[in-house]
Every structure is written in C-alpha cells, then in structure tokens.
Amino acid sequence: MSKIYDVIVLGAGPAGLAAGLYAGRSRLSTLIIEKGQDGGQIAITNEIENYPGQVEGDSGPSLIARMTEQAKHFGAERVSDTIKSVELEGEVKTLHGVKGDYQAKAVIVATGAFPKPIGCKNEGEFVGHGISFCATCDASFFEDFEVYVVGGGDSAVEEAMYLTKFARKVTIIHRRNELRAAKSIQEKAFKNPKLFFMWDTVVDSVEGDGMLQAMTVKNTKTGELTRIEADPDDGMFGLFGFIGYNPNSALFEGILDLENGYIKTDENMHTNIEGVYAAGDIRVKSLRQVVTAAADGAIAAMQAEHFLSHK
Ligand code: NAP
C-alpha cells in the first residue's frame, strides 16, 4: 500500500465507470476496483434501447466496453480485486482487498444491486433469451407475445401492467393466493383486461431451443406440475422475475446508513460519512436504469472533486 488516491470507485458498472470518467477528467488520481466483469447487470443485457444516443441493436457489453475505454482514456486506473472490509472514517479511507489494501481521500460506492433469480431449473440458460428482470429494458421485445411475470409485490404488479402495453397477454405467477402489492395497485391490476393470474404457483423449470419455449409450473399447495408451452405461432414467450433485489451492501452494514439494504444518500450522492458517496443501483432511489446510474456517478465524482479542492 503506497499510493493514496484522490478517489477510489468501488464497482465498474455504469455508475462506477461514469464516476471514473468524471473523476479522471477532473484530474483526480482515480482507481476503479471491480471484482468481476465490468458492467454489472448491463453485462447480461443483450440490447439496450433506452440509453440516450445508444446505437440501435448495440449490446450491453459493447456499451460498457466504450464506457470502460472512456474512463481509461481520462486516466482512471484499474484493479481487479474483491474488497473484504472498509475503513471509511477519517481523512484517508482504506479498502482491504484479497490482493491488497487501497487508500483514497474520497470513496464512491457503486457496487450495484442484482435482481433475485426466479430460482427455477435451467434459469441461467435463458436470461436474455426469454427471461428478463427489467420490463423498462425488455418489454418492447415482447410486442404481441405472451408474457409471464413472477412475483406478487408492487414491482411485479406494476411491471406486469406496464408489460400489458406491449404483450398480447400477461399472466402473473404468484406463490400465494393473494398479492402483497398495495391495494391501490391491485385494484388497477384486477381491472386490466390483458392481465391474468396464476395463484399458488411457482416456476419449477424452463426449457427451449435457444429461446424460452416451455416451462413447468408447480402448485404450491398440491405439488401438481403443469407444463406450459409457447403458442406455436409465437414459438417463444417471455418470463419476467420481480421477486425483489439484492443490493451489494453487506460491506457497509453498520458503517453507512442503509434502508432495506440500500445506501441512503442526499441528492448529491453524499452518504452519512464525509468524503464517501454512493451512486447507481446501490443507493435508495426510484428508477434503477443505466442513464440514472451514469448520472449518479457523474454527480458523485464532481462532489468528490469539490470536497477535495476545498480541503
Ligand atoms: P417485495 O415487496 O419484497 O415483493 C416480492 C414479491 O415476490 C412478493 O410477492 C413475494 O411473495 C414474491 N417472492 C419473493 N421470493 C419469492 C420466491 N423465491 N419465489 C416466488 N415469489 C417470491 O419486492 P418488490 O415488489 O420488488 O418491492 C420492493 C419494495 O419497493 C417494496 O417496499 C415496495 O413497496 C417498493 N416498491 C414500491 C412501488 C410503488 O410504490 N409504486 C413500486 C415498486 C416497488 P410473498 O408475497 O409470498 O412474500
């Protein structure tokens, strides 16, 4: 451990890479630490239609590759390591990784949040090939197809209603016989003529030849298994999972203020510790998208620059 960076950015998804770009461009010595592959959830998104200026048909990984290159171009250094613990109080913050320790005067946490998997057999094979966790991102790919939504909370019901604008028919698969969603949301859902419900049911397994074409669902009360096949004219259907998110915030428990596992910030991305910012899906916010993550990253980096220049 020799260098004390101006800024360490933890996580190389859109928020972290935007933070790295803005910090580097502000001539702050910047280190981006990522434990896996760049991009977070975007790395598994085939096509992104709703990032402003995105080239039609361009993939998530290709957008991320350009963001990575841009951050590098402005001087952000990179290291691949898993951070195991953090010391964030005081003027110099220390991040303890598996490969080494890293220090900086400001830290931007951009560790993201990941949708909980549906939990059925073969799920991994069909993520991005019929299975999705983001209606805003993928609804338009299912224009006039049949779509199934797993979950019974506010997200599942609201996203299912959004999906009815695109899909021919949307069926909510819920493990109980009543929704968890707010009553006001339920009332709207029950009036929606394109929305159907499959109660006391979970998805057991999914199958298909490249694209999702069939699934087996299980009745949670009787254990009965039922096979559902795509309409032969469609050849495929969509399956969206909205059963909650897992924020990557375990490192910060008892250190940063959290709400349901998400880091609380003000509108300028400040956490409860001076010089520590949070950006992107890891923070408490209403819309988790690439465009909002990138914006958070930019704001956090500029706030760090302001903080360091006024010290
Ligand atoms: P949530 O409220 O935790 O609901 C998760 C749903 O998924 C529940 O219905 C749950 O079933 C089901 N579920 C959980 N694990 C499952 C599993 N392994 N298999 C099958 N089903 C499973 O999550 P959320 O809907 O994402 O909402 C998260 C928070 O954001 C909530 O506080 C919500 O109020 C808020 N939110 C608010 C709005 C809004 O106000 N417009 C919109 C979206 C989200 P059970 O019901 O049986 O537990």
Side-chain angles (χ1 to χ4, degrees):
M1 180 164 61
S2 50
K3 183 166 179 177
I4 298 177
Y5 289 89
D6 289 326
V7 182
I8 287 178
V9 180
L10 191 53
L17 291 171
L21 154 65
Y22 272 75
R25 201 161 171 270
S26 299
R27 302 280 184 266
L28 299 177
S29 61
T30 305
L31 177 69
I32 302 175
I33 305 175
E34 167 63 54
K35 66 175 180 202
Q37 152 187 46
D38 283 12
Q41 293 176 67
I42 297 310
I44 56 157
T45 305
N46 268 336
E47 196 172 338
I48 296 175
E49 278 187 334
N50 55 2
Y51 188 68
Q54 173 74 348
V55 179
E56 197 183 333
D58 198 16
S59 70
S62 124
L63 174 64
I64 284 299
R66 293 199 299 276
M67 287 189 183
T68 298
E69 202 44 50
Q70 219 175 349
K72 197 168 135 198
H73 174 75
F74 286 109
E77 293 177 33
R78 296 295 309 261
V79 70
S80 172
D81 201 354
T82 301
I83 300 303
K84 293 291 189 189
S85 64
V86 294
E87 292 170 62
L88 299 178
E89 294 286 357
E91 289 210 358
V92 176
K93 290 75 171 80
T94 305
L95 280 63
H96 302 283
V98 172
K99 296 180 189 165
D101 292 343
Y102 310 93
Q103 290 192 309
K105 292 177 246 175
V107 170
I108 298 173
V109 180
T111 46
F114 288 84
K116 286 185 188 162
I118 293 166
C120 60
K121 295 177 202 111
N122 308 328
E123 180 172 358
E125 269 178 57
F126 295 97
V127 174
H129 301 277
I131 294 184
S132 168
F133 298 92
C134 177
T136 315
C137 317
D138 295 335
S140 64
F141 303 129
F142 295 97
E143 185 91 51
D144 257 342
F145 282 84
E146 274 197 57
V147 161
Y148 296 82
V149 167
V150 181
D154 289 345
S155 300
V157 180
E158 285 207 331
E159 299 302 304
M161 284 194 284
Y162 177 75
L163 283 161
T164 61
K165 295 179 186 172
F166 301 84
R168 186 170 73 234
K169 177 182 173 190
V170 178
T171 304
I172 290 184
I173 300 175
H174 183 36
R175 64 181 176 182
R176 293 187 294 131
N177 65 359
E178 61 178 351
L179 297 172
R180 176 181 292 279
K183 289 282 178 276
S184 56
I185 297 177
Q186 293 193 27
E187 281 163 17
K188 279 191 219 152
F190 290 137
K191 282 187 199 146
N192 188 318
K194 286 170 92 180
L195 197 53
F196 297 80
F197 295 86
M198 204 179 273
W199 302 110
D200 297 317
T201 304
V202 291
V203 180
D204 185 68
S205 63
V206 287
E207 19 175 328
D209 187 10
M211 289 304 289
L212 181 59
Q213 289 161 329
M215 66 179 162
T216 301
V217 297
K218 185 177 176 181
N219 185 296
T220 52
K221 287 192 171 148
T222 63
E224 188 189 348
L225 295 173
T226 307
R227 191 175 147 85
I228 296 172
E229 288 182 8
D231 183 313
D233 288 341
D234 295 341
M236 57 164 278
F237 60 85
L239 179 63
F240 284 75
F242 298 109
I243 61 171
Y245 275 81
N246 288 324
N248 290 323
S249 62
L251 264 182
F252 306 103
E253 272 168 28
I255 299 172
L256 295 179
D257 285 349
L258 304 179
E259 184 181 305
N260 295 325
Y262 294 93
I263 299 173
K264 285 164 83 169
T265 67
D266 65 11
E267 63 177 8
N268 285 322
M269 313 304 144
H270 295 224
T271 69
N272 55 304
I273 298 183
E274 192 178 50
V276 180
Y277 310 84
D281 287 4
I282 189 63
R283 75 183 191 92
V284 175
K285 63 192 299 192
S286 61
L287 182 65
R288 295 193 167 87
Q289 292 282 290
V290 182
V291 65
T292 60
D296 284 1
I299 293 168
M302 296 317 292
Q303 288 294 311
E305 193 277 332
H306 189 73
F307 166 69
L308 294 169
S309 65
H310 287 79
K311 271 179 87 70

